[in-house]
Amino acid sequence: MKPTLKKIYDWVNERVELDNLIEFMGKKYVPVHRHSVWYYFGGVSLFLFIIQVVTGILLLMYYKGSEDLAFESIQFLMSKVQFGWLIRSIHSWAANLFILTAMIHMFSVFFEKSYRKPREITWLTGMLMFFLAMGFGFSGYLLPWNELAFFATKVGTDIAGVLPLIGKPIMIFLRGGEEVTGATLSRFFGFHVAVFPGIFTVLLGVHLLLVQRQGMSEPMSFENTPAGERKTMPFFPNFLLRDLLLWLIVLNLLAILAVFFPWELGKKADAFAAAPAGIKPEWYFLFMFQSLKYIPGKLWIFDGEVLGILLFGVAGLLWMMVPFWDSKSARGEKNKFITYLGLFVVFYIIIFTIIGWIS
Amino acid sequence: MTENHELQPQQTKRDFLRVILGGSLLAWLGTVIYPILSYLKPPAQAEAEVSSVKVGKLSAIEKDSGTLFRFGSKPVILLRSASGELRAYSATCTHLDCTVQYRKDFGLIWCACHNGKYDVNGRNVSGPPPRPLDEFKVIVQGEEVFISKKS
């Protein structure tokens, strides 16, 4: 280390004991096994989240969150502001990739049963962040105030409204009134840039702190391997450098997507125009949207729509609570049921997303 | 037992304090949460109650067409059949709040969001809509066409 840098380091170290931290980092090891590749998806999701924060702040420099100005401000950003199109495209693409990598991360943890004791809280915070990510997607979609966004928001908030008892108040709270108007835009803007990021940052802090404190989860087969035969890799610098290399690749991929497939702006929302043909929700809502289509309007005495939404709600809740009802994995035993359940969910999502996409 | 007896007055004192402090905490939470919840509830906007709207000249409305008009804060669809008959319905799909349109090729009212279909009488004939579209009255005075609420 250069003398000046050393001086600065010593000055800080004397006060906050950096040596301890470096020693801790040096002792951290990442297990190496045939499923190690999945460890990288959490890191990539983190990287994409950082990109969202940076590009989001940049977009805020020009975006105007009102019914009369939102669409025009993005038009201005895309056509007049230097690299405005790039920043917006990266924000949109990174949002979609984030949901994808977070999904892969979630499923890999699920199949490895890494949520088992003692990592229940890590799983819970992760799931909450995933739901928030969908909230980010839904609220951010409205902000350009275009035709597609307007009707997507109408349908999405109306779905919340069909729930018995609490539905109507929730819908009015979300819309800021009976209808989707400028009031809805203001609220969604607030959720998207203040409420959600605030909550997300706290959850992310807990999530990362737990990962550091408890170390990487080891696969169950690892526990039967004699200590001498377990392969590991130092986190610093070996794993971190691999992580950073992957981040670089993802950044390049983002740039390619943003340049060659720039995000469209569409037509400005008009409350008195018909919904455009071919309107569809974002891909990560498609499987639910498609499933709702197959439920008949009336099932015995129940409203089909309500039943469908409640069903998805219960399924999501059970999924989130898996560390608390999968007692087999918690005891370190193999649980085939969880694996089959996970496979069913993966195939269900893939098949219904494809049907929704082509129909 | 005797010890317990001695504790009795102490215990009631403690319970009393618990109720007082707990109650104050609840009251305090109430005074904080109530204004926030009220604040989040959007105020009722004084909206001019619209009972009828002038949509234009009869000659300007094409035969076999459907046009959207603004009726207060809601869209209304005005249909004119090939024979020249006029009908008006609420353009808000009864399924999930999207806005419908007239499809000449089907001769039906269609909602793009979930492929809901209504016939020219506003009846839900296919797809997810649970009930027919609300009907509006069409009044023709000379050349002028008006839409009004059904009483």
Side-chain angles (χ1 to χ4, degrees), chain A residues 71-84:
Chain A
F71 183 85
E72 285 77 0
S73 72
I74 294 189
Q75 227 168 16
F76 175 77
L77 178 103
M78 304 252 306
S79 56
K80 296 279 180 352
V81 178
Q82 297 192 55
F83 296 111

Side-chain angles (χ1 to χ4, degrees), chain A residues 57-277:
Chain A
I57 290 170
L58 289 173
L59 290 174
L60 272 176
M61 304 284 147
Y62 290 99
Y63 179 72
K64 299 184 177 111
S66 91
E67 198 178 349
D68 302 322
L69 300 170
F71 183 85
E72 285 77 0
S73 72
I74 294 189
Q75 227 168 16
F76 175 77
L77 178 103
M78 304 252 306
S79 56
K80 296 279 180 352
V81 178
Q82 297 192 55
F83 296 111
W85 60 273
L86 182 67
I87 301 295
R88 173 162 180 260
S89 265
I90 289 184
H91 196 73
S92 308
W93 273 111
N96 283 279
L97 287 186
F98 175 78
I99 302 251
L100 184 69
T101 57
M103 253 185 182
I104 295 172
H105 181 48
M106 176 185 78
F107 278 112
S108 73
V109 169
F110 188 84
F111 284 119
E112 296 284 343
K113 286 96 179 175
S114 304
Y115 51 73
R116 67 186 187 275
K117 193 187 169 192
R119 294 189 174 76
E120 299 96 323
I121 306 171
T122 321
W123 168 264
L124 273 184
T125 48
M127 280 310 297
L128 291 175
M129 278 192 281
F130 186 70
F131 292 139
L132 263 183
M134 293 182 123
F136 267 118
F138 186 62
S139 57
Y141 198 61
L142 179 67
L143 301 186
W145 198 247
N146 58 25
E147 234 180 3
L148 292 175
F150 179 75
F151 284 106
T153 306
K154 260 174 111 79
V155 172
T157 48
D158 211 67
I159 283 177
V162 302
L163 287 173
L165 273 151
I166 47 163
K168 196 83 199 289
I170 289 179
M171 187 188 90
I172 292 190
F173 164 71
L174 289 173
R175 287 185 174 179
E178 291 275 345
E179 303 286 331
V180 173
T181 58
T184 321
L185 182 63
S186 296
R187 287 193 174 202
F188 275 37
F189 186 35
F191 294 141
H192 191 80
V193 306
V195 182
F196 294 166
I199 302 171
F200 196 95
T201 307
V202 173
L203 292 171
L204 183 63
V206 175
H207 195 79
L208 293 177
L209 191 76
L210 286 172
V211 172
Q212 292 309 315
R213 201 162 156 90
Q214 301 180 319
M216 300 292 213
S217 158
E218 295 171 352
M220 284 166 129
S221 59
F222 222 67
E223 281 159 20
N224 304 325
T225 327
E229 285 170 33
R230 295 181 193 176
K231 273 199 266 174
T232 56
M233 174 200 293
F235 177 78
F236 185 83
N238 301 37
F239 188 78
L240 192 69
L241 284 176
R242 281 173 170 77
D243 241 352
L244 289 177
L245 182 65
L246 188 59
W247 291 17
L248 201 63
I249 294 171
V250 171
L251 186 65
N252 284 320
L253 177 71
L254 259 182
I256 291 169
L257 287 171
V259 170
F260 291 105
F261 306 97
W263 217 262
E264 300 277 326
L265 180 54
K267 271 164 73 182
K268 186 174 177 173
D270 176 359
F272 298 97

Side-chain angles (χ1 to χ4, degrees), chain B:
Chain B
M1 278 313 271
T2 41
E3 224 181 82
N4 226 347
H5 228 78
E6 271 175 13
L7 271 176
Q8 215 60 49
Q10 193 72 25
Q11 198 63 40
T12 47
K13 204 171 171 185
R14 204 165 274 175
D15 282 346
F16 173 74
L17 280 174
R18 197 170 286 154
V19 167
I20 289 292
L21 286 176
S24 320
L25 183 69
L26 279 181
W28 179 82
L29 275 176
T31 54
V32 172
I33 291 167
Y34 178 74
I36 294 177
L37 286 182
S38 314
Y39 176 87
L40 289 173
K41 207 174 121 199
Q45 303 261 11
E47 227 172 79
E49 186 70 20
V50 180
S51 60
S52 103
V53 165
K54 185 165 118 183
V55 296
K57 296 236 185 302
L58 184 61
S59 53
I61 303 164
E62 260 181 71
K63 284 185 179 174
D64 190 22
S65 77
T67 327
L68 290 170
F69 291 100
R70 203 185 162 121
F71 193 91
S73 64
K74 310 241 182 205
V76 163
I77 187 163
L78 177 69
L79 301 182
R80 189 162 190 205
S81 67
S83 58
E85 201 186 337
L86 288 166
R87 284 200 183 105
Y89 303 97
S90 154
T92 307
C93 183
T94 54
H95 176 224
L96 287 175
D97 215 21
C98 277
T99 308
V100 298
Q101 56 188 291
Y102 179 68
R103 284 279 296 256
K104 249 188 197 175
D105 46 348
F106 300 159
L108 289 171
I109 301 169
W110 178 66
C111 180
C113 289
H114 306 92
N115 203 23
K117 288 173 188 153
Y118 305 85
D119 65 12
V120 288
N121 297 311
R123 278 190 307 234
N124 46 322
V125 288
S126 139
R131 56 188 172 81
L133 296 169
D134 295 329
E135 199 176 347
F136 281 69
K137 220 171 16 184
V138 184
I139 303 158
V140 184
Q141 285 179 346
E143 247 300 88
E144 302 285 356
V145 181
F146 296 86
I147 296 173
S148 84
K149 269 196 180 143
K150 272 216 149 168
S151 45

